[in-house]
Amino acid sequence: MKKYFIFSDIHGRKLSALLEELKNASFDINDDNHILISLGDLFDRGDDNLNLLFFVNEMIKKNRMIVLW
């Protein structure tokens, strides 16, 4: 059964903080049934935009993330 994890408004801030919060919510990056949903505002004013972009692209390629623009 799929389990969805929803987040928004990260604004390019620390990817490590997002991953920590997802871990606290029992998200398992290795579980194909765990799907991320981003409600937008991924990039703009933070200092971790590039790392976040790489992470998002990788998750989308693996069909593990839905991004609502």
Side-chain angles (χ1 to χ4, degrees):
M1 175 179 284
K2 301 277 186 205
K3 186 171 181 179
Y4 296 90
F5 298 81
I6 301 170
F7 69 95
S8 70
D9 298 294
I10 192 167
H11 294 286
R13 294 188 187 104
K14 297 288 184 195
L15 175 60
S16 59
L18 172 63
L19 294 176
E20 184 66 28
E21 289 301 319
L22 289 170
K23 180 181 174 184
N24 291 340
S26 300
F27 176 75
D28 182 353
I29 199 162
N30 297 310
D31 187 339
D32 290 337
N33 288 313
H34 286 195
I35 308 297
L36 294 175
I37 299 176
S38 168
L39 300 179
D41 290 334
L42 286 169
F43 314 102
D44 67 355
R45 56 184 166 244
D47 59 356
D48 209 13
N49 285 305
L50 191 56
N51 288 329
L52 184 59
L53 177 63
F54 291 143
F55 173 75
V56 168
N57 281 338
E58 192 62 32
M59 295 302 284
I60 289 172
K61 285 180 193 175
K62 294 178 179 180
N63 293 318
R64 301 278 311 284
M65 186 169 189
I66 300 166
V67 177
L68 303 175
W69 302 101

